[in-house]
Amino acid sequence: MLYLNPNAKLSPYPSSLQRVMNIETARQTRTWLQAWTGLRSGPTPLYDMAMLADRLGIGQLALKDESVRSPLASFKALGAPAALIRYILCKYKDQGMDPAKVLRGQYASTLASETVISATDGNHGRALAAAARDAGCRCVIVLHAHVSEERERAIADFGAQIVRINGNYDDSVNVAAEQATQNGWQVISDTSYEGYETIPRDVMQGYGVIADEIFEQDIARGHEGYTHVFLQGGVGGLAAGIASYFWEKLGDKRPALYVVEPTQADCLQQSAMLGRAAKATGSVDSVMAGLACGETSPLAWTFLESSIDAFITIEDHEAVTAMSALARCPDVPVVSGESGAAGLAGLCNILTQEIATGRLKIDGTSRVLLINTEGATAPSVYRELTGEDADDVLQRQRDHLADI
Protein backbone atom coordinates (compact mmCIF):
# COMPACT_ATOMS: atom_id res chain seq x y z
CA MET A 1 0.00 0.00 0.00
CA LEU A 2 1.21 3.49 -0.85
CA TYR A 3 0.20 6.44 1.29
CA LEU A 4 1.16 9.96 0.26
CA ASN A 5 1.93 12.08 3.30
CA PRO A 6 -0.24 15.22 3.25
CA ASN A 7 2.03 16.87 5.83
CA ALA A 8 5.26 16.51 3.83
CA LYS A 9 6.76 19.80 2.77
CA LEU A 10 9.76 21.23 0.98
CA SER A 11 11.29 23.83 3.23
CA PRO A 12 14.54 24.74 4.97
CA TYR A 13 15.49 22.41 7.82
CA PRO A 14 13.78 23.79 10.97
CA SER A 15 16.12 25.21 13.61
CA SER A 16 14.14 23.36 16.29
CA LEU A 17 15.12 20.05 14.69
CA GLN A 18 18.67 21.15 13.94
CA ARG A 19 19.23 21.66 17.66
CA VAL A 20 18.37 17.98 18.17
CA MET A 21 20.14 16.35 15.20
CA ASN A 22 22.55 17.97 12.82
CA ILE A 23 25.29 17.31 10.31
CA GLU A 24 28.03 18.65 12.58
CA THR A 25 27.27 16.05 15.25
CA ALA A 26 26.98 13.27 12.65
CA ARG A 27 30.49 14.12 11.43
CA GLN A 28 31.80 14.22 14.99
CA THR A 29 30.27 10.81 15.59
CA ARG A 30 31.88 9.49 12.43
CA THR A 31 35.29 10.65 13.64
CA TRP A 32 34.82 8.96 17.01
CA LEU A 33 33.69 5.66 15.49
CA GLN A 34 36.60 5.52 13.06
CA ALA A 35 38.79 4.59 16.01
CA TRP A 36 36.73 1.48 16.81
CA THR A 37 38.23 -1.74 15.50
CA GLY A 38 34.72 -3.19 15.32
CA LEU A 39 34.09 -1.23 12.11
CA ARG A 40 35.69 -1.54 8.69
CA SER A 41 38.17 1.11 7.72
CA GLY A 42 36.64 3.73 5.46
CA PRO A 43 33.11 4.13 4.08
CA THR A 44 30.94 1.26 2.93
CA PRO A 45 30.57 0.79 -0.85
CA LEU A 46 28.16 2.87 -2.89
CA TYR A 47 27.42 0.75 -5.94
CA ASP A 48 26.18 2.01 -9.31
CA MET A 49 23.48 -0.50 -10.32
CA ALA A 50 23.16 0.59 -13.97
CA MET A 51 21.85 -2.69 -15.38
CA LEU A 52 19.28 -3.08 -12.61
CA ALA A 53 18.20 0.52 -13.18
CA ASP A 54 17.73 -0.19 -16.89
CA ARG A 55 15.69 -3.29 -16.07
CA LEU A 56 13.45 -1.23 -13.77
CA GLY A 57 13.08 1.59 -16.28
CA ILE A 58 14.71 4.32 -14.20
CA GLY A 59 17.64 6.60 -14.98
CA GLN A 60 20.12 5.67 -12.24
CA LEU A 61 20.17 3.42 -9.20
CA ALA A 62 22.72 3.57 -6.38
CA LEU A 63 22.97 1.07 -3.52
CA LYS A 64 24.79 1.87 -0.27
CA ASP A 65 25.88 -1.49 1.14
CA GLU A 66 25.83 -1.56 4.94
CA SER A 67 26.18 -5.35 5.03
CA VAL A 68 29.95 -4.86 5.10
CA ARG A 69 30.00 -2.09 7.71
CA SER A 70 31.44 -4.53 10.23
CA PRO A 71 31.41 -8.24 11.15
CA LEU A 72 27.98 -7.42 12.59
CA ALA A 73 26.76 -7.08 8.98
CA SER A 74 24.34 -4.27 9.76
CA PHE A 75 24.00 -0.48 9.88
CA LYS A 76 23.19 -0.92 13.57
CA ALA A 77 26.95 -1.03 14.16
CA LEU A 78 26.81 2.78 13.98
CA GLY A 79 23.91 3.59 16.31
CA ALA A 80 24.34 1.72 19.59
CA PRO A 81 28.14 2.25 19.78
CA ALA A 82 27.72 5.99 19.10
CA ALA A 83 25.11 6.31 21.85
CA LEU A 84 27.20 4.27 24.28
CA ILE A 85 30.19 6.57 23.77
CA ARG A 86 28.09 9.70 24.36
CA TYR A 87 26.43 8.20 27.44
CA ILE A 88 29.81 7.33 28.96
CA LEU A 89 31.31 10.74 28.15
CA CYS A 90 28.32 12.44 29.79
CA LYS A 91 28.28 10.29 32.93
CA TYR A 92 32.05 10.47 33.42
CA LYS A 93 32.53 14.01 32.13
CA ASP A 94 34.79 14.96 35.03
CA GLN A 95 37.34 12.32 34.01
CA GLY A 96 38.25 13.86 30.67
CA MET A 97 37.82 10.68 28.64
CA ASP A 98 38.92 10.64 25.02
CA PRO A 99 35.89 9.49 22.95
CA ALA A 100 38.15 7.68 20.47
CA LYS A 101 39.52 5.51 23.29
CA VAL A 102 36.24 4.44 24.89
CA LEU A 103 35.62 1.48 22.56
CA ARG A 104 39.29 0.56 22.68
CA GLY A 105 38.82 -0.51 26.29
CA GLN A 106 41.16 2.08 27.77
CA TYR A 107 38.64 2.95 30.49
CA ALA A 108 37.51 -0.61 31.17
CA SER A 109 38.48 -0.54 34.83
CA THR A 110 36.30 2.54 35.39
CA LEU A 111 33.40 1.10 33.40
CA ALA A 112 33.45 -2.40 34.88
CA SER A 113 30.54 -1.60 37.20
CA GLU A 114 28.44 -0.13 34.37
CA THR A 115 25.53 -2.16 32.94
CA VAL A 116 23.65 -1.25 29.77
CA ILE A 117 20.46 -2.91 28.59
CA SER A 118 18.27 -2.88 25.50
CA ALA A 119 15.49 -4.69 23.71
CA THR A 120 16.23 -5.83 20.18
CA ASP A 121 15.07 -7.76 17.12
CA GLY A 122 18.70 -8.83 16.72
CA ASN A 123 21.02 -6.31 15.06
CA HIS A 124 20.82 -3.46 17.58
CA GLY A 125 21.41 -5.84 20.48
CA ARG A 126 24.38 -7.41 18.77
CA ALA A 127 25.92 -3.99 18.11
CA LEU A 128 25.40 -2.89 21.71
CA ALA A 129 26.83 -6.14 23.05
CA ALA A 130 29.93 -5.78 20.88
CA ALA A 131 30.48 -2.14 21.86
CA ALA A 132 29.88 -2.82 25.56
CA ARG A 133 32.35 -5.71 25.52
CA ASP A 134 35.04 -3.56 23.93
CA ALA A 135 34.37 -0.65 26.30
CA GLY A 136 34.42 -2.92 29.34
CA CYS A 137 30.75 -2.64 30.34
CA ARG A 138 28.30 -5.37 31.26
CA CYS A 139 25.43 -5.79 28.78
CA VAL A 140 21.93 -7.26 29.14
CA ILE A 141 19.75 -7.86 26.07
CA VAL A 142 16.00 -8.52 26.16
CA LEU A 143 14.68 -10.73 23.36
CA HIS A 144 11.05 -11.28 22.47
CA ALA A 145 9.43 -14.53 21.34
CA HIS A 146 9.99 -13.98 17.60
CA VAL A 147 13.78 -13.52 17.76
CA SER A 148 15.45 -16.69 16.49
CA GLU A 149 17.89 -18.78 18.52
CA GLU A 150 20.45 -18.12 15.79
CA ARG A 151 20.24 -14.37 16.43
CA GLU A 152 20.31 -14.98 20.17
CA ARG A 153 23.57 -16.94 19.90
CA ALA A 154 25.11 -14.17 17.79
CA ILE A 155 24.39 -11.67 20.57
CA ALA A 156 25.48 -13.97 23.40
CA ASP A 157 28.80 -14.56 21.63
CA PHE A 158 29.72 -10.98 22.58
CA GLY A 159 29.24 -11.75 26.26
CA ALA A 160 25.77 -10.26 26.73
CA GLN A 161 23.34 -11.70 29.26
CA ILE A 162 20.14 -12.73 27.48
CA VAL A 163 16.67 -12.23 28.97
CA ARG A 164 13.90 -14.03 27.08
CA ILE A 165 10.27 -12.89 27.26
CA ASN A 166 6.94 -13.77 25.67
CA GLY A 167 5.29 -11.19 23.42
CA ASN A 168 6.66 -8.93 20.69
CA TYR A 169 9.28 -6.22 20.27
CA ASP A 170 7.23 -3.56 22.04
CA ASP A 171 6.81 -5.85 25.04
CA SER A 172 10.59 -6.34 25.17
CA VAL A 173 11.08 -2.55 25.15
CA ASN A 174 8.85 -2.28 28.22
CA VAL A 175 10.70 -5.08 30.02
CA ALA A 176 14.08 -3.49 29.30
CA ALA A 177 12.86 -0.17 30.75
CA GLU A 178 11.52 -1.92 33.85
CA GLN A 179 14.73 -3.90 34.39
CA ALA A 180 16.80 -0.74 34.03
CA THR A 181 14.72 1.11 36.64
CA GLN A 182 14.81 -1.78 39.10
CA ASN A 183 18.56 -2.40 38.81
CA GLY A 184 19.98 1.04 38.13
CA TRP A 185 21.05 0.09 34.62
CA GLN A 186 21.09 2.30 31.53
CA VAL A 187 18.87 1.66 28.52
CA ILE A 188 20.62 2.15 25.15
CA SER A 189 17.81 2.10 22.58
CA ASP A 190 16.73 3.86 19.38
CA THR A 191 13.12 3.74 20.56
CA SER A 192 12.13 6.85 22.51
CA TYR A 193 9.37 7.18 25.07
CA GLU A 194 8.31 9.72 27.66
CA GLY A 195 11.35 10.90 29.58
CA TYR A 196 13.76 8.98 27.35
CA GLU A 197 14.97 10.89 24.27
CA THR A 198 18.66 11.76 24.62
CA ILE A 199 20.06 8.31 23.89
CA PRO A 200 17.63 7.53 21.02
CA ARG A 201 18.74 10.84 19.52
CA ASP A 202 22.39 9.75 19.80
CA VAL A 203 21.59 6.40 18.18
CA MET A 204 19.85 8.12 15.27
CA GLN A 205 22.70 10.60 14.98
CA GLY A 206 25.00 7.63 14.45
CA TYR A 207 22.96 6.63 11.42
CA GLY A 208 23.68 10.06 9.97
CA VAL A 209 27.20 8.76 9.31
CA ILE A 210 25.74 6.81 6.37
CA ALA A 211 24.44 9.99 4.75
CA ASP A 212 27.72 11.80 5.43
CA GLU A 213 29.58 9.09 3.55
CA ILE A 214 27.09 9.13 0.67
CA PHE A 215 27.54 12.85 0.05
CA GLU A 216 31.31 12.48 0.27
CA GLN A 217 31.29 9.57 -2.18
CA ASP A 218 28.98 11.38 -4.60
CA ILE A 219 31.28 14.41 -4.66
CA ALA A 220 34.26 12.15 -5.39
CA ARG A 221 32.52 10.51 -8.36
CA GLY A 222 30.91 13.68 -9.67
CA HIS A 223 27.37 12.45 -9.08
CA GLU A 224 24.63 15.09 -9.27
CA GLY A 225 22.55 13.73 -6.40
CA TYR A 226 19.25 11.88 -6.09
CA THR A 227 15.67 12.52 -6.99
CA HIS A 228 14.24 9.70 -4.82
CA VAL A 229 15.53 7.98 -1.65
CA PHE A 230 14.00 4.81 -0.16
CA LEU A 231 14.51 4.17 3.57
CA GLN A 232 13.60 1.24 5.82
CA GLY A 233 10.97 1.82 8.50
CA GLY A 234 11.05 -0.01 11.87
CA VAL A 235 10.51 2.45 14.72
CA GLY A 236 11.81 5.24 12.45
CA GLY A 237 15.35 5.67 13.74
CA LEU A 238 17.26 4.99 10.52
CA ALA A 239 14.83 6.99 8.41
CA ALA A 240 15.06 9.95 10.79
CA GLY A 241 18.86 9.85 10.89
CA ILE A 242 19.18 9.82 7.09
CA ALA A 243 16.22 12.09 6.25
CA SER A 244 17.33 14.78 8.69
CA TYR A 245 20.78 14.87 7.09
CA PHE A 246 19.38 15.22 3.55
CA TRP A 247 16.92 17.84 4.76
CA GLU A 248 19.55 19.95 6.51
CA LYS A 249 22.05 19.61 3.66
CA LEU A 250 19.68 20.35 0.77
CA GLY A 251 16.77 22.22 2.37
CA ASP A 252 13.85 22.65 0.00
CA LYS A 253 15.93 21.01 -2.75
CA ARG A 254 15.95 17.68 -0.92
CA PRO A 255 14.97 14.54 -2.85
CA ALA A 256 11.65 12.77 -2.42
CA LEU A 257 11.98 10.59 0.67
CA TYR A 258 10.03 7.34 1.03
CA VAL A 259 9.78 4.91 3.94
CA VAL A 260 9.20 1.16 3.44
CA GLU A 261 7.85 -1.20 6.11
CA PRO A 262 6.05 -4.57 6.36
CA THR A 263 2.29 -4.55 5.90
CA GLN A 264 1.84 -6.19 9.30
CA ALA A 265 4.18 -3.68 11.00
CA ASP A 266 2.86 -0.44 9.53
CA CYS A 267 3.36 1.86 12.52
CA LEU A 268 4.94 4.67 10.48
CA GLN A 269 2.24 4.64 7.82
CA GLN A 270 -0.37 4.68 10.56
CA SER A 271 1.44 7.62 12.15
CA ALA A 272 1.18 9.53 8.87
CA MET A 273 -2.49 8.74 8.59
CA LEU A 274 -3.27 9.78 12.17
CA GLY A 275 -0.88 12.74 12.34
CA ARG A 276 0.94 11.45 15.44
CA ALA A 277 3.27 8.66 16.53
CA ALA A 278 1.08 5.57 16.36
CA LYS A 279 0.96 1.79 16.58
CA ALA A 280 0.84 -0.79 13.81
CA THR A 281 -2.48 -2.37 12.87
CA GLY A 282 -1.12 -5.84 12.06
CA SER A 283 0.41 -8.82 13.83
CA VAL A 284 3.94 -7.30 13.65
CA ASP A 285 5.32 -10.78 12.92
CA SER A 286 7.28 -10.39 9.68
CA VAL A 287 10.15 -12.16 7.96
CA MET A 288 11.72 -8.68 7.95
CA ALA A 289 12.75 -9.07 11.60
CA GLY A 290 14.52 -5.73 11.84
CA LEU A 291 11.39 -3.90 10.68
CA ALA A 292 8.90 -5.90 12.76
CA CYS A 293 8.13 -3.03 15.13
CA GLY A 294 4.67 -2.21 16.39
CA GLU A 295 5.08 1.31 17.69
CA THR A 296 6.68 4.44 16.23
CA SER A 297 9.41 6.20 18.17
CA PRO A 298 7.93 9.61 19.06
CA LEU A 299 11.29 11.35 18.71
CA ALA A 300 11.89 9.85 15.26
CA TRP A 301 8.41 10.93 14.23
CA THR A 302 9.18 14.60 14.88
CA PHE A 303 11.65 14.36 11.99
CA LEU A 304 9.59 12.11 9.72
CA GLU A 305 6.19 13.80 9.92
CA SER A 306 7.22 16.64 7.57
CA SER A 307 10.09 15.11 5.60
CA ILE A 308 8.78 11.77 4.35
CA ASP A 309 6.76 12.15 1.17
CA ALA A 310 5.24 8.67 1.07
CA PHE A 311 4.95 5.53 3.17
CA ILE A 312 4.99 2.15 1.44
CA THR A 313 3.98 -1.18 2.96
CA ILE A 314 5.20 -4.43 1.40
CA GLU A 315 4.49 -8.13 1.81
CA ASP A 316 7.11 -10.57 3.06
CA HIS A 317 7.35 -12.31 -0.33
CA GLU A 318 8.31 -9.00 -1.96
CA ALA A 319 11.30 -8.65 0.36
CA VAL A 320 12.36 -12.23 -0.36
CA THR A 321 12.16 -11.61 -4.10
CA ALA A 322 14.32 -8.50 -3.69
CA MET A 323 16.88 -10.47 -1.66
CA SER A 324 17.30 -12.93 -4.52
CA ALA A 325 17.42 -10.14 -7.10
CA LEU A 326 20.32 -8.49 -5.28
CA ALA A 327 22.13 -11.81 -4.78
CA ARG A 328 22.03 -12.36 -8.55
CA CYS A 329 22.36 -8.73 -9.64
CA PRO A 330 24.44 -8.43 -12.84
CA ASP A 331 25.93 -5.11 -11.69
CA VAL A 332 27.41 -6.61 -8.52
CA PRO A 333 26.03 -9.48 -6.41
CA VAL A 334 25.04 -8.21 -2.95
CA VAL A 335 24.17 -10.12 0.22
CA SER A 336 21.02 -8.45 1.46
CA GLY A 337 19.05 -9.67 4.46
CA GLU A 338 15.29 -9.61 4.81
CA SER A 339 15.16 -6.02 6.05
CA GLY A 340 18.07 -4.90 3.90
CA ALA A 341 16.19 -5.67 0.70
CA ALA A 342 13.05 -3.78 1.76
CA GLY A 343 14.06 -0.61 -0.08
CA LEU A 344 14.34 -2.40 -3.43
CA ALA A 345 11.08 -4.22 -2.70
CA GLY A 346 9.37 -0.90 -2.02
CA LEU A 347 10.71 0.59 -5.26
CA CYS A 348 9.54 -2.41 -7.28
CA ASN A 349 6.17 -2.25 -5.55
CA ILE A 350 5.36 1.31 -6.57
CA LEU A 351 6.81 0.92 -10.06
CA THR A 352 3.84 -1.37 -10.77
CA GLN A 353 1.45 1.48 -10.00
CA GLU A 354 0.43 4.22 -12.42
CA ILE A 355 1.14 6.86 -9.79
CA ALA A 356 4.87 6.06 -10.06
CA THR A 357 5.36 7.82 -13.38
CA GLY A 358 2.65 10.35 -12.60
CA ARG A 359 2.68 12.16 -9.29
CA LEU A 360 5.82 10.43 -7.97
CA LYS A 361 7.76 11.16 -11.17
CA ILE A 362 9.80 7.95 -11.04
CA ASP A 363 10.81 7.39 -14.66
CA GLY A 364 13.75 7.16 -17.03
CA THR A 365 15.25 10.38 -15.65
CA SER A 366 15.07 9.44 -11.96
CA ARG A 367 18.16 8.96 -9.82
CA VAL A 368 17.25 6.58 -6.99
CA LEU A 369 19.16 5.73 -3.80
CA LEU A 370 18.66 2.52 -1.82
CA ILE A 371 20.38 1.43 1.39
CA ASN A 372 21.07 -2.24 1.99
CA THR A 373 20.82 -2.07 5.78
CA GLU A 374 21.93 -5.63 6.56
CA GLY A 375 23.54 -8.73 5.21
CA ALA A 376 22.89 -12.33 6.24
CA THR A 377 22.58 -11.60 9.95
CA ALA A 378 20.83 -14.99 10.29
CA PRO A 379 22.68 -17.19 7.76
CA SER A 380 20.26 -20.11 7.99
CA VAL A 381 17.29 -17.80 7.31
CA TYR A 382 19.12 -16.29 4.34
CA ARG A 383 19.78 -19.77 2.96
CA GLU A 384 16.18 -20.82 3.44
CA LEU A 385 14.79 -17.71 1.74
CA THR A 386 17.19 -17.36 -1.20
CA GLY A 387 18.16 -20.98 -1.76
CA GLU A 388 21.90 -20.34 -1.47
CA ASP A 389 24.57 -19.60 1.11
CA ALA A 390 25.60 -16.01 1.73
CA ASP A 391 29.24 -17.07 1.37
CA ASP A 392 28.57 -18.16 -2.21
CA VAL A 393 27.08 -14.75 -3.01
CA LEU A 394 30.06 -13.03 -1.40
CA GLN A 395 32.42 -15.13 -3.52
CA ARG A 396 30.57 -14.06 -6.67
CA GLN A 397 30.86 -10.47 -5.46
CA ARG A 398 34.61 -10.80 -4.92
CA ASP A 399 35.05 -12.39 -8.35
CA HIS A 400 32.99 -9.62 -9.96
CA LEU A 401 34.87 -6.79 -8.27
CA ALA A 402 38.22 -8.39 -9.09
CA ASP A 403 37.32 -8.29 -12.79
CA ILE A 404 36.50 -4.57 -12.79
Side-chain angles (χ1 to χ4, degrees):
M1 176 179 174
L2 171 68
Y3 180 75
L4 299 177
N5 182 13
N7 295 315
K9 56 188 177 183
L10 294 175
S11 65
Y13 189 51
S15 58
S16 59
L17 296 183
Q18 188 176 31
R19 287 192 292 270
V20 180
M21 281 205 297
N22 53 71
I23 291 174
E24 181 181 359
T25 305
R27 289 175 175 166
Q28 182 186 59
T29 301
R30 183 181 176 186
T31 299
W32 292 356
L33 289 176
Q34 285 173 343
W36 185 31
T37 57
L39 297 180
R40 66 175 277 156
S41 176
T44 54
L46 182 63
Y47 294 123
D48 179 11
M49 314 295 262
M51 286 183 277
L52 182 55
D54 186 62
R55 182 186 303 172
L56 294 174
I58 59 177
Q60 297 175 23
L61 181 65
L63 180 78
K64 180 71 167 167
D65 188 11
E66 289 298 297
S67 71
V68 295
R69 174 66 66 181
S70 78
L72 305 175
S74 167
F75 79 100
K76 296 282 189 175
L78 295 170
L84 180 62
I85 292 173
R86 290 192 181 279
Y87 163 69
I88 289 170
L89 293 179
C90 181
K91 183 170 181 178
Y92 299 90
K93 58 185 177 183
D94 295 336
Q95 299 197 24
M97 292 182 175
D98 182 342
K101 296 179 179 179
V102 172
L103 298 186
R104 288 183 172 273
Q106 296 193 24
Y107 306 109
S109 58
T110 301
L111 302 177
S113 60
E114 195 73 45
T115 298
V116 292
I117 185 172
S118 184
T120 187
D121 281 310
N123 292 338
H124 175 83
R126 196 176 176 202
L128 180 59
R133 181 199 64 181
D134 289 356
C137 302
R138 179 169 172 263
C139 181
V140 178
I141 298 296
V142 183
L143 302 179
H144 59 85
H146 302 303
V147 178
S148 69
E149 291 184 3
E150 185 176 28
R151 285 191 167 93
E152 176 181 338
R153 289 193 298 272
I155 297 169
D157 284 346
F158 287 101
Q161 176 187 336
I162 305 298
V163 175
R164 272 283 186 179
I165 68 158
N166 294 320
N168 58 27
Y169 173 75
D170 301 296
D171 297 318
S172 65
V173 170
N174 293 333
V175 170
E178 292 167 0
Q179 290 280 316
T181 300
Q182 293 170 9
N183 296 288
W185 300 339
Q186 179 59 51
V187 176
I188 304 290
S189 172
D190 64 352
T191 301
S192 69
Y193 43 83
E194 186 175 356
Y196 181 74
E197 291 191 338
T198 299
I199 286 176
R201 175 205 64 194
D202 295 339
V203 173
M204 294 189 297
Q205 192 75 80
Y207 302 152
V209 171
I210 299 171
D212 195 55
E213 290 182 358
I214 290 170
F215 275 91
E216 183 179 87
Q217 289 168 307
D218 280 339
I219 290 173
R221 64 182 185 148
H223 189 262
E224 58 183 316
Y226 306 97
T227 58
H228 302 78
V229 177
F230 287 74
L231 302 167
Q232 282 82 343
V235 300
L238 170 73
I242 303 295
S244 64
Y245 192 109
F246 271 88
W247 196 2
E248 180 181 355
K249 182 78 172 178
L250 301 175
D252 59 5
K253 301 296 190 300
R254 66 166 178 79
L257 301 170
Y258 302 148
V259 161
V260 184
E261 57 191 343
T263 298
Q264 61 269 51
D266 61 344
C267 60
L268 296 176
Q269 188 173 98
Q270 289 301 314
S271 299
M273 290 177 173
L274 297 173
R276 57 176 171 78
K279 296 183 179 181
T281 57
S283 64
V284 187
D285 183 15
S286 169
V287 71
M288 292 168 272
L291 305 182
C293 305
E295 191 166 352
T296 299
S297 168
L299 179 61
W301 185 246
T302 63
F303 292 88
L304 302 179
E305 61 181 341
S306 300
S307 64
I308 302 303
D309 297 281
F311 295 83
I312 305 161
T313 56
I314 59 171
E315 304 296 334
D316 284 358
H317 70 85
E318 294 178 274
V320 175
T321 298
M323 290 171 66
S324 295
L326 288 171
R328 299 170 178 83
C329 184
D331 295 290
V332 55
V334 174
V335 176
S336 182
E338 313 88 70
S339 299
L344 176 59
L347 171 62
C348 293
N349 178 291
I350 63 173
L351 283 174
T352 65
Q353 304 178 43
E354 290 185 8
I355 195 173
T357 55
R359 186 168 176 180
L360 301 186
K361 299 179 181 178
I362 303 179
D363 53 30
T365 66
S366 300
R367 302 181 302 278
V368 178
L369 171 68
L370 304 177
I371 299 175
N372 177 33
T373 54
E374 65 172 10
T377 55
S380 67
V381 174
Y382 185 87
R383 186 183 313 114
E384 177 184 351
L385 295 177
T386 65
E388 61 181 325
D389 288 333
D391 287 343
D392 293 336
V393 180
L394 285 175
Q395 185 58 55
R396 289 204 302 272
Q397 183 186 92
R398 286 191 289 268
D399 293 343
H400 176 90
L401 294 176
D403 291 339
I404 295 178

